Amino acid sequence: MAGSGVWQRPSFNQCDRDLNRPLAKFPGTAHPPIADGSLDGGILITIHRLSHGGADRVAMHLANGFARDGIAVGIAVLRSGGEGEQSLLDLLDPGIRVGHAGAPMGSRHLELVRGARYLRRLTATARPAVVMASSNNMGLVTGLALRGQKVGGRPKTVMKTTNPVIRPGDRSDLRKLYRRRLYGFVFGNFDHILTLSAEECDVLAKLYPRQSGKFQVATNPYVTHEMLRDYDRPRRSGPATILTLARMMPQKRLDLLLAAFARVQPADCKLVIVGDGPERPRLEALAHSLGIADRVNMPGFVDDALPWLRTADLFALSSDYEGLPAVVLEALACNVPVVTTDSFDAARSMIADAPRCAVVPHGDVDGFARAIEQSLASRAEGDLRHIARSYGFDAAFASHLDALRPLLQSN
């Protein structure tokens, strides 16, 4: 009821009315709307919502890079109201066009259905040469939205992978078969698939040999020039600081990190978990039950993680699975050693032999604790920043342009 303060789920009739209205700019920003013909020969990037996730931040940086190269670029968001909306829109160059399909509907599935219809209409009117799905989740809806378009009027389609196709939690053969066939269908709707590492590219080529020609590595813009800049590391005495940057969600396995931290000796070190999310109450309760609450700091989400990274003695990543975690590369760029679970395809090739770094198996609490202890106790020296330099902004934009320019020129 209007004015009652009680939320009502929008109907598809309402969605149809919303989608038939003229395309408008994103509320609360100065960014221009995606108008008819405004992306002619350019790139449209699709996002579900503007969250605190790394894939959304990467999309903003890529959009800026494309625009500075003279390419018309727009960002299509399937729903407004994401928790990172304002901070991400503030990252965008002012001239980049942004649009959205509508307000939250209370159901991700309804938002994806509405979003598919929105993307179909948007691509037909804005006429981009390339539509790029920013994540695994956007692959399905973006592919379906453009699947039925006539070949002559259909833009080239590109999907960026952000997580493994088969995850550690997919233990049953039936679940693995379902995931494999689902992504076989998703990949079939795209002209090119941009992977996060050569190791992931190899894994996907073996899973989908008939589509192996579509897979290409494109480095993400994770590491800023500021992160790689030389700085005077503050001299500190006292207990060591272990840092992690993570959304408080089950995938991140922060419960494993807390359990491992409780076993670390010496017992006076500190753990800082920067981030927020639905798991916060459970994690706070766990820290109390383990008797470590006085040594664990959970400051919440921050816009700038650089000051936290530069004062950390060790970075810890406890996730079950990742694509290629930006936080690991950001830590390395600040010359902070990393202890991580074997949660992404490139983990071992990237850091297993690096000074003071370690990769441990999924779910191994004792192994994680030992790796933390050994890293803190190690006196090994070495510059970890060389690992991160290849993931700097310049290299990332160049790799994406190498992949996309032939598609832009073919239209």
Side-chain angles (χ1 to χ4, degrees):
M1 179 181 298
S4 67
V6 178
W7 180 85
Q8 288 184 319
R9 176 174 292 177
S11 67
F12 274 116
N13 289 335
Q14 179 64 47
C15 295
D16 288 337
R17 288 196 292 272
D18 290 342
L19 291 173
N20 286 326
R21 291 172 182 165
L23 298 174
K25 75 175 187 177
F26 211 99
T29 79
H31 292 282
I34 303 175
D36 289 359
S38 59
L39 302 181
D40 193 9
I43 300 171
L44 178 68
I45 302 173
T46 66
I47 298 175
H48 178 228
R49 61 190 177 91
L50 297 176
S51 71
H52 289 149
D56 295 344
R57 184 171 293 270
V58 163
M60 301 297 112
H61 291 314
L62 287 176
N64 288 339
F66 297 149
R68 291 166 192 168
D69 201 63
I71 299 170
V73 59
I75 294 178
V77 184
L78 298 199
R79 79 158 172 87
S80 61
E83 71 273 14
E85 189 170 285
Q86 193 56 57
S87 62
L88 290 180
L89 289 173
D90 288 344
L91 283 179
L92 278 182
D93 289 350
I96 293 177
R97 297 177 179 273
V98 185
H100 71 100
M105 300 180 72
S107 164
R108 181 182 179 87
H109 296 296
L110 288 178
E111 289 167 5
L112 293 179
V113 171
R114 178 185 65 182
R117 299 158 76 184
Y118 169 70
L119 292 178
R120 183 186 294 268
R121 177 194 175 203
L122 196 62
T123 54
T125 57
R127 298 194 298 275
V130 173
V131 176
M132 185 170 73
S134 61
S135 65
N136 286 35
N137 290 336
M138 285 306 302
L140 179 61
V141 64
T142 304
L144 288 175
L146 305 182
R147 185 179 176 86
Q149 287 194 347
K150 294 181 180 179
V151 175
R154 181 179 180 270
K156 298 293 184 181
T157 51
V158 177
M159 174 182 164
K160 287 179 60 63
T161 62
T162 49
N163 280 306
V165 167
I166 308 296
R167 303 169 299 187
D170 301 323
R171 293 186 176 90
S172 72
D173 290 341
L174 183 60
R175 178 68 178 173
K176 291 176 181 177
L177 178 63
Y178 164 74
R179 295 276 300 180
R180 183 171 179 171
R181 290 193 172 177
L182 171 64
Y183 276 93
F185 172 76
V186 171
F187 292 157
N189 291 318
F190 287 87
D191 298 303
H192 285 270
I193 314 294
L194 303 183
T195 70
L196 295 167
S197 67
E199 291 81 0
E200 183 192 10
C201 204
D202 291 341
V203 168
L204 291 177
K206 290 176 183 176
L207 282 173
Y208 304 102
R210 292 183 179 178
Q211 303 194 60
S212 60
K214 294 182 178 183
F215 302 119
Q216 180 176 350
V217 179
T219 306
N220 271 345
Y222 288 142
V223 177
T224 66
H225 298 295
E226 178 64 17
M227 288 176 184
L228 290 168
R229 181 178 61 82
D230 289 332
Y231 67 98
D232 293 327
R233 189 174 181 83
R235 292 184 177 181
R236 292 191 301 107
S237 58
T241 299
I242 302 162
L243 173 70
T244 194
L245 308 170
R247 298 178 72 189
M248 294 181 175
M249 300 177 65
Q251 171 195 346
K252 304 301 182 180
R253 289 305 309 272
L254 294 172
D255 57 328
L256 183 148
L257 176 58
L258 287 171
F261 177 70
R263 303 179 192 188
V264 169
Q265 298 296 326
D268 63 345
C269 53
K270 306 287 186 182
L271 174 63
V272 180
I273 302 175
V274 175
D276 217 331
E279 290 246 299
R280 173 180 279 273
R282 187 174 79 89
L283 295 171
E284 290 175 337
L286 179 59
H288 280 283
S289 68
L290 291 170
I292 56 174
D294 60 329
R295 296 191 292 124
V296 177
N297 180 18
M298 301 184 189
F301 174 78
V302 298
D303 282 321
D304 185 8
L306 191 55
W308 297 89
L309 287 164
R310 285 183 169 173
T311 56
D313 296 289
L314 176 67
F315 187 88
L317 182 76
S318 51
S319 298
D320 265 346
Y321 61 91
E322 296 282 352
L324 184 63
V327 289
V328 166
L329 292 157
E330 290 166 353
L332 295 171
C334 295
N335 211 33
V336 177
V338 173
V339 171
T340 179
T341 51
D342 196 0
S343 53
F344 56 103
D345 290 327
R348 295 192 180 277
S349 62
M350 180 182 291
I351 67 168
D353 297 325
R356 299 168 292 160
C357 295
V359 180
V360 298
H362 298 98
D364 186 353
V365 175
D366 287 334
F368 208 88
R370 285 195 302 271
I372 290 173
E373 290 175 351
Q374 290 168 2
S375 180
L376 293 177
S378 174
R379 296 186 178 182
E381 295 184 1
D383 188 356
L384 301 171
R385 294 179 297 176
H386 75 278
I387 303 173
R389 285 193 179 96
S390 60
Y391 296 89
F393 277 29
D394 293 342
F397 295 143
S399 69
H400 278 79
L401 288 173
D402 285 346
L404 298 182
R405 200 176 295 282
L407 306 181
L408 295 170
Q409 293 172 345
S410 67
N411 279 269

